[in-house]
Amino acid sequence: MMKNRLLSLFVITVLVLGMGLYFANQRAPSSEGEFKPEPLIPGLMENINKVDGIKLVKSGNETIVELRREGERWTVASQHGYPADVSKVRSYLLKLAESKLREPKTTKAENYARLGVQDMDVADAVGARLELSGLGAEPVSLIIGMNAGGSPATFVRKAGAEQAFLASGDLMPDREKANWTLRQILDLPSARVREVEITDPEGKVLKVSKDDPGAFNYTVHDVPKGKSLSSESAGNMLGGVLATLNFDDVLPKDQAQPDPATLFKARYQSYEGLQIAVEQWDIDGKSYASFKASLDEAQLARHLLVERAKAELEAKTKEAEAAAKAEAAKAAGEAAAAGADGEAAKADTAKAEGETPPAPAFDAEKFEAETRAKVEQEIAEINARTEAWVYVLPGWKADNIKKRMDDMLAK
């Protein structure tokens, strides 16, 4: 009797568990073991160079950035066609090409918010819609959701589809428009800057210079009688303004005209003769600037004279060293003849004669030609990049262009 009851309970338990597993499998879209990882965007890796457009959209269907490919160049269509950061674009496309769908997640719209894969017409959507064109007749459209945590993985959903997935890789794109542009305007480190001259809107001039590149401080010119500098290094901040100079925003030149009432004009001169003229003015609390590079022939000539003098001094130093070693060799030879250790003396003589090769002659024409070519190439690159544009500068950089003599003086 007892055995029959136990057998009946066992059979019932097995049936209940079996039915539970059956219905659980029916509810799941697929099990982890059944789903085979596949590329997030099929064919992207093989056709990555065919992509000719990238569009990122955030909540409210507001465009973050729109990029267009023009030959080998990428431009930011949503920022007046300014050059894009090609390395950033390629890096993101490779991330997408390498990503694989690892496992399916929810198909229920009410669960999308937990994964960040809502449609972008939702006001508080936290993800971004990615659109890639060039891979087919219709753009590839994906909702990129939140990172999953742990190993790099991101929740995604094809726009218009119900099924959300977990995909490999950190796929959330940069949501700052300016970060997709080639943000660096130019890079002239203070080690190259010989002179800075700033003229304020009233025509007053502030000038600092450093003739010796090895000197620590810039000289501030025309300090008013009875006044003193705030410190010996007061002028140094001016020399580094154009080092790694990035912008906050950029506009075509005809869309932001200079305001004479706030216009500062600055001139930065390098030791090699590169000269950069800057005009900067304020509109509605923003500092706008334009740039133009040129060659200062007089400074290039001075640089040539300095380098010639250095070469001549080096040659004379080497000649003096060679003469001293020759004298030592002669003395060693005389010592050997007088009965000193002959082998050691011969070794000293050979060493003294072979250590100092003659200094190569300074080729002034070659030096000038190479320096000129290098500076002219730099000028051409700067002007090609900047001549059609006006830039909004970061506040701290703009403040160091808008300097007056009073800013250099002790209070």
Side-chain angles (χ1 to χ4, degrees):
M1 187 78 162
M2 182 63 72
K3 286 182 178 180
N4 289 337
R5 286 181 180 176
L6 290 173
L7 181 60
S8 298
L9 287 172
F10 175 74
V11 170
I12 291 169
T13 302
V14 170
L15 287 172
V16 169
L17 288 173
M19 291 174 67
L21 289 171
Y22 172 78
F23 285 114
N25 286 334
Q26 290 297 309
R27 284 197 300 270
S30 62
S31 71
E32 218 172 290
E34 292 172 352
F35 184 79
K36 294 181 179 180
E38 58 186 61
L40 170 64
I41 304 176
L44 177 56
M45 183 62 79
E46 297 80 6
N47 299 288
I48 198 165
N49 290 325
K50 292 183 179 179
V51 176
D52 59 14
I54 302 172
K55 186 177 182 179
L56 301 174
V57 179
K58 63 181 180 180
S59 60
N61 284 318
E62 181 182 346
T63 298
I64 298 171
V65 67
E66 188 170 1
L67 306 163
R68 286 279 174 263
R69 184 171 188 162
E70 300 173 1
E72 294 301 314
R73 297 174 63 247
W74 279 89
T75 63
V76 186
S78 55
Q79 201 155 21
H80 314 285
Y82 193 80
D85 185 341
V86 176
S87 63
K88 186 180 184 74
V89 174
R90 286 177 177 165
S91 176
Y92 188 61
L93 286 175
L94 280 172
K95 274 187 181 182
L96 294 171
E98 292 169 353
S99 177
K100 295 185 181 299
L101 297 176
R102 284 175 23 182
E103 59 179 290
K105 293 297 180 182
T106 187
T107 59
K108 298 179 179 179
E110 59 266 29
N111 293 333
Y112 290 165
R114 294 168 54 193
L115 307 182
V117 293
Q118 309 107 302
D119 289 324
M120 291 303 109
D121 54 6
V122 177
D124 58 352
V126 298
R129 185 173 74 243
L130 165 72
E131 298 175 10
L132 293 184
S133 61
L135 295 175
E138 296 294 327
V140 175
S141 187
L142 290 173
I143 307 296
I144 308 294
M146 294 186 291
N147 292 337
S151 61
T154 309
F155 296 110
V156 301
R157 180 172 66 88
K158 293 180 180 179
E162 293 182 347
Q163 182 69 62
F165 291 89
L166 180 66
S168 61
D170 181 1
L171 304 179
M172 178 56 75
D174 194 321
R175 297 163 68 91
E176 289 294 327
K177 175 179 69 174
N179 290 343
W180 289 93
T181 59
L182 196 62
R183 291 189 70 181
Q184 185 166 289
I185 306 169
L186 47 83
D187 184 18
L188 184 66
S190 59
R192 290 182 60 194
V193 177
R194 174 186 173 272
E195 184 175 280
V196 180
E197 186 175 275
I198 300 172
T199 305
D200 71 12
E202 291 77 40
K204 296 178 181 177
V205 177
L206 169 63
K207 181 179 176 181
V208 303
S209 66
K210 185 167 63 173
D211 289 334
D212 179 6
F216 185 76
N217 294 321
Y218 283 85
T219 299
V220 180
H221 295 258
D222 302 319
V223 175
K225 189 176 181 180
K227 301 287 185 178
S228 62
L229 298 174
S230 59
S231 70
E232 292 182 353
S233 58
N236 291 1
M237 68 182 77
L238 304 184
V241 171
L242 301 188
T244 318
L245 181 63
N246 296 334
F247 63 80
D248 286 343
D249 202 357
V250 61
L251 294 168
K253 212 162 194 174
D254 60 0
Q255 293 189 21
Q257 296 300 313
D259 171 26
T262 62
L263 181 62
F264 279 76
K265 295 182 179 182
R267 179 179 59 82
Y268 298 82
Q269 182 195 79
S270 79
Y271 291 99
E272 309 92 342
L274 171 65
Q275 188 162 265
I276 299 176
V278 183
E279 290 191 347
Q280 181 180 280
W281 62 96
D282 294 342
I283 300 176
D284 297 331
K286 293 182 178 180
S287 294
Y288 295 80
S290 63
F291 301 84
K292 185 174 179 57
S294 61
L295 177 62
D296 187 325
E297 293 283 358
Q299 178 55 33
L300 176 59
R302 282 193 292 269
H303 182 60
L304 177 62
L305 289 174
V306 169
E307 293 303 313
R308 188 202 299 270
K310 286 181 181 178
E312 290 175 350
L313 178 61
E314 182 181 359
K316 288 181 180 179
T317 301
K318 285 187 174 291
E319 286 176 7
E321 290 175 352
K325 289 186 179 295
E327 189 64 30
K330 181 181 178 182
E334 292 174 350
D341 186 344
E343 293 302 319
K346 288 178 183 177
D348 289 342
T349 301
K351 184 179 179 182
E353 290 175 342
E355 277 187 349
T356 309
F362 179 68
D363 189 335
E365 289 185 3
K366 181 181 177 183
F367 176 81
E368 180 178 9
E370 290 177 348
T371 304
R372 179 183 292 277
K374 184 177 179 181
V375 174
E376 286 180 345
Q377 180 181 352
E378 189 174 11
I379 289 168
E381 290 172 354
I382 291 171
N383 288 337
R385 188 164 55 248
T386 65
E387 62 186 355
W389 305 96
V390 168
Y391 302 89
V392 177
L393 300 185
W396 68 279
K397 285 285 191 179
D399 288 344
N400 280 329
I401 294 176
K402 296 183 289 188
K403 290 296 184 183
R404 293 177 164 93
M405 178 60 74
D406 286 349
D407 298 313
M408 304 289 106
L409 302 178
K411 305 300 180 184

